[in-house]
Amino acid sequence: MAPRRKCPFCGSKQWHKDSSSGLVACSEGHVIQNFRNESGETQDLGNYTMRKRTLKSGHKKGVRQSRADPKLYHGERARFHYYQCLQLVLRKQIAALIALWDLPPEFETVCRDTWALHLTLLPRPPPAEPYHHMREQKGSNPDAGDTKPLLDNLEESRSDDEDGDGPQSSSSSSEEEDPELVELLRENSELSSSDEDKEKDHASQKHGVQSSYRFVGTYDRPVNCIVVLVVTCWTMRLPVMYKDFIDVIESYELPYLDFLRLLPSDMTCHLTKHAVRALSPHFPPSTLYIHRLASRLAKLMYANYGVFIPELNASPVLWRVVQQCLGGTPILYRLAKRLGRILSLPLILHHSLSPVSRCTPGDPEMHLYDNVPPELALVATAIVVLKLVYGLDGKPRLPRDVEDPASAFPDVHGYLSAFRGMGEADTRHNEKRFSSRIPMSTGDMDLATIDEFLDFCERVLVKSQRGKSDQQILDSYFPLSTESRGTRLEAMVPHSIVQGLSATKINVGETAVLQPGESYTIYHSRDVLGNLPEEQALIITRSAKWVGVSDDYLCGVVERFERRLRRWYYKERRREKEEQESEGEGLSDGTED
């Protein structure tokens, strides 16, 4: 090309080259001196001549370059990694429960199968392992944010596999590849990926879910790991309750709260802020929330795979309710068990899984909305028995016969006094006081409570950390000796509150005093202006707190069972009356004959 400079003679910038002579002259005809025009073309190339390849940068003009962290995963790869984190947390939870409750090793096997069924029953099952992640495991650059070199390597590897040659054939094929074909493959991959992204964005907007949160739904949260543990315990007929899981979560014995610190750093470094937020629950799940998710999982497992979850192992759970929650006696256990058969309690995870024989023939939809937690149903049944025996409405009830089961109950005043002291003992000596739900100031603690709080912090903050500096942290922040610590909870809470209480007196000759079961009062749970009697409110409040529900919810369940018992009572009276009338008619007919 002609030089872009002025002619030293006339100042012209227009130059032309004579094709015949090869000289360069300006528009006025002045020939430029010392100008050489060489051609780089050659006809014969040697064996060792190297070719220079032209590489495209891939940078498009007008497109803003992304400044995102290449270590963070997005899209389907992020969802796959998210479920990997959940599965690792589940494995840690299984190991913790096996150590805490001395469970058999088969517990882990059943948990693994339940977890697999849970993943297949999700509205959006977790994706398969992404291909580019597999490529990175084989030696590609994990920090590369651009996937175009991966596509090029993919085409090269495919051509190598088809030719059947080794590394030498791959190098030679890369030299002879058609650049137009590579460009078409790259454009095709970009168009297909953009179309898939548009379809996913359209689907997420259709369902009203933001694209950044679309991989975390209700059934993808960490609480579903607890649901898998619950369903596994029901499958193995373990007498557990929802409060057992909540207690070990609040005491940090079961990894759930702030469990990201238990995950390895090579997993947490790939989590986005949305994934970190989803994997960081601040509070333990409630009883009703766990039961709703467990009920759904049990229903889907039976509907899709025919896996039937058996009923609750009710006998030991009922005894725990009677002894730990209500502080009752074996006679209360026996009466509550008998009343439970009459009420046909929901002892299954979902009402659709209950046998048909348990439903009333005249009312097949009797248990359609009776989907309360089984432990809550047992508590409500025991409260109904206490109301039948004591009344709990301010009016005394005394049995008139020694054979009356109410005569084996303790005196109502002594029982309520001991029950009140049982609630105060729970408030003073319970690690649940140190949970994030209960506001507590160290300035309001006594020395014994401070010692218990330090024990709690030592176990949660120090012993859960790994490393060689644990003893140094312990000496710096917890210099107290173990001899000065307070006594444990087991030594301070009595095993039975009815020990030493006098029995209920027998009513002799007083007709004004009501009998047990007489003048039973049903309080409407939706009456917001009404107040429960003090005696019944005391039992309702502690029982609801023990189960993990609100007072109003427990009152609603108690009212439902009371009205069911009332219908059963009048139905039995009508049946007895009809039998007496039929026997009387048969006797009169025989007399006439």
Side-chain angles (χ1 to χ4, degrees), residues 260-508:
L260 282 179
R261 57 190 173 90
L262 303 178
L263 298 179
S265 59
D266 56 349
M267 296 187 68
T268 56
C269 65
H270 301 299
L271 297 174
T272 61
K273 62 179 181 180
H274 307 297
V276 171
R277 186 181 305 170
L279 291 172
S280 302
H282 300 289
F283 303 100
S286 63
T287 299
L288 298 179
Y289 190 48
I290 299 177
H291 178 67
R292 182 171 67 87
L293 296 178
S295 176
R296 169 193 172 273
L297 180 59
K299 177 183 177 182
L300 294 180
M301 287 174 59
Y302 182 74
N304 292 273
Y305 299 103
V307 179
F308 179 77
I309 306 300
E311 290 186 349
L312 176 70
N313 194 356
S315 297
V317 176
L318 178 59
W319 175 245
R320 292 182 57 188
V321 168
V322 170
Q323 185 185 28
Q324 299 178 8
C325 178
L326 300 174
T329 57
I331 188 63
L332 175 60
Y333 169 83
R334 185 166 65 89
L335 293 179
K337 189 174 183 179
R338 183 178 179 182
L339 180 60
R341 294 194 184 98
I342 295 175
L343 299 177
S344 185
L345 295 182
L347 300 178
I348 203 72
L349 275 175
H350 196 271
H351 62 82
S352 62
L353 304 179
S354 61
V356 181
S357 59
R358 296 181 54 192
C359 299
T360 306
D363 189 7
E365 297 183 356
M366 177 180 178
H367 300 279
L368 182 60
Y369 302 101
D370 199 0
N371 197 25
V372 298
E375 59 199 70
L376 180 61
L378 296 176
V379 170
T381 304
I383 292 177
V384 173
V385 174
L386 291 177
K387 290 186 64 177
L388 289 171
V389 175
Y390 293 131
L392 301 179
D393 55 356
K395 300 177 182 180
R397 265 79 169 177
L398 295 177
R400 298 181 182 179
D401 192 357
V402 182
E403 297 181 357
D404 194 333
S407 61
F409 278 75
D411 181 66
V412 60
H413 300 289
Y415 172 75
L416 293 178
S417 178
F419 188 84
R420 188 178 293 105
M422 190 176 181
E424 294 175 357
D426 290 343
T427 306
R428 290 194 305 267
H429 309 285
N430 193 352
E431 282 192 343
K432 293 173 64 176
R433 297 174 300 160
F434 307 134
S435 64
S436 57
R437 294 177 179 269
I438 302 176
M440 179 178 292
S441 175
T442 54
D444 300 333
M445 299 181 184
D446 53 5
L447 296 179
T449 307
I450 291 179
D451 289 341
E452 294 177 5
F453 179 70
L454 292 179
D455 289 336
F456 175 78
C457 294
E458 176 186 347
R459 178 174 54 81
V460 173
L461 302 177
V462 179
K463 291 185 178 180
S464 60
Q465 301 292 337
R466 298 179 179 179
K468 298 181 180 179
S469 60
D470 290 349
Q471 188 61 37
Q472 299 177 358
I473 299 176
L474 182 62
D475 297 336
S476 302
Y477 296 96
F478 305 98
L480 298 178
S481 60
T482 56
E483 289 79 6
S484 61
R485 307 290 172 86
T487 56
R488 299 300 298 171
L489 174 64
E490 292 79 3
M492 304 188 70
V493 177
H495 295 284
S496 178
I497 66 171
V498 298
Q499 294 180 357
L501 298 181
S502 59
T504 302
K505 298 180 181 180
I506 304 298
N507 183 16
V508 180

Side-chain angles (χ1 to χ4, degrees), residues 103-128:
L103 300 178
E106 291 79 9
F107 180 78
E108 182 177 1
T109 304
V110 181
C111 278
R112 181 183 58 192
D113 297 340
T114 307
W115 173 254
L117 293 177
H118 164 69
L119 294 181
T120 57
L121 293 172
L122 289 174
R124 290 185 60 199

Side-chain angles (χ1 to χ4, degrees), residues 162-181:
E162 293 175 358
D163 297 338
D165 299 335
Q168 296 178 358
S169 64
S170 64
S171 61
S172 61
S173 63
S174 62
E175 296 178 0
E176 297 176 2
E177 63 182 357
D178 190 358
E180 296 182 359
L181 179 60

Side-chain angles (χ1 to χ4, degrees), residues 10-153:
C10 63
S12 176
K13 294 183 179 180
Q14 299 180 359
W15 304 86
H16 65 276
K17 179 181 177 181
D18 190 357
S19 60
S20 60
S21 61
L23 300 177
V24 178
C26 67
S27 60
E28 299 295 334
H30 300 106
V31 178
I32 185 173
Q33 301 297 327
N34 301 327
F35 179 79
R36 180 182 297 176
N37 184 15
E38 297 181 353
S39 176
E41 299 179 357
T42 180
Q43 299 296 330
D44 188 14
L45 297 178
N47 295 330
Y48 301 98
T49 303
M50 299 179 62
R51 296 177 181 268
K52 183 178 180 181
R53 297 179 60 186
T54 302
L55 301 179
K56 295 184 179 181
S57 63
H59 175 71
K60 298 181 180 180
K61 296 182 179 180
V63 178
R64 184 178 179 181
Q65 296 295 326
S66 175
R67 297 181 180 179
D69 189 356
K71 293 183 179 180
L72 301 180
Y73 293 165
H74 300 277
E76 295 300 314
R77 186 180 184 184
R79 291 189 69 240
F80 181 83
H81 185 69
Y82 176 82
Y83 281 102
Q84 283 185 322
C85 295
L86 283 182
Q87 184 165 318
L88 181 57
V89 170
L90 179 62
R91 293 180 61 184
K92 292 181 177 292
Q93 291 173 347
I94 293 172
L97 279 187
I98 291 177
L100 281 174
W101 296 346
D102 194 17
L103 300 178
E106 291 79 9
F107 180 78
E108 182 177 1
T109 304
V110 181
C111 278
R112 181 183 58 192
D113 297 340
T114 307
W115 173 254
L117 293 177
H118 164 69
L119 294 181
T120 57
L121 293 172
L122 289 174
R124 290 185 60 199
E129 187 173 5
Y131 176 76
H132 58 270
H133 176 63
M134 195 182 307
R135 294 287 300 170
E136 290 176 1
Q137 297 296 330
K138 293 181 179 180
S140 301
N141 184 14
D143 295 334
D146 192 5
T147 59
K148 294 180 180 180
L150 296 174
L151 296 173
D152 297 338
N153 296 334

Side-chain angles (χ1 to χ4, degrees), residues 387 392 523-524 530-538 540 551 555:
K387 290 186 64 177
L392 301 179
Y523 295 92
H524 204 297
N531 295 323
L532 291 175
E534 182 181 358
E535 300 172 350
Q536 184 175 348
L538 175 64
I540 288 291
D551 297 354
C555 288

Side-chain angles (χ1 to χ4, degrees), residues 153-164:
N153 296 334
L154 173 61
E155 299 300 330
E156 293 178 5
S157 62
R158 288 179 179 175
S159 61
D160 296 341
D161 296 337
E162 293 175 358
D163 297 338

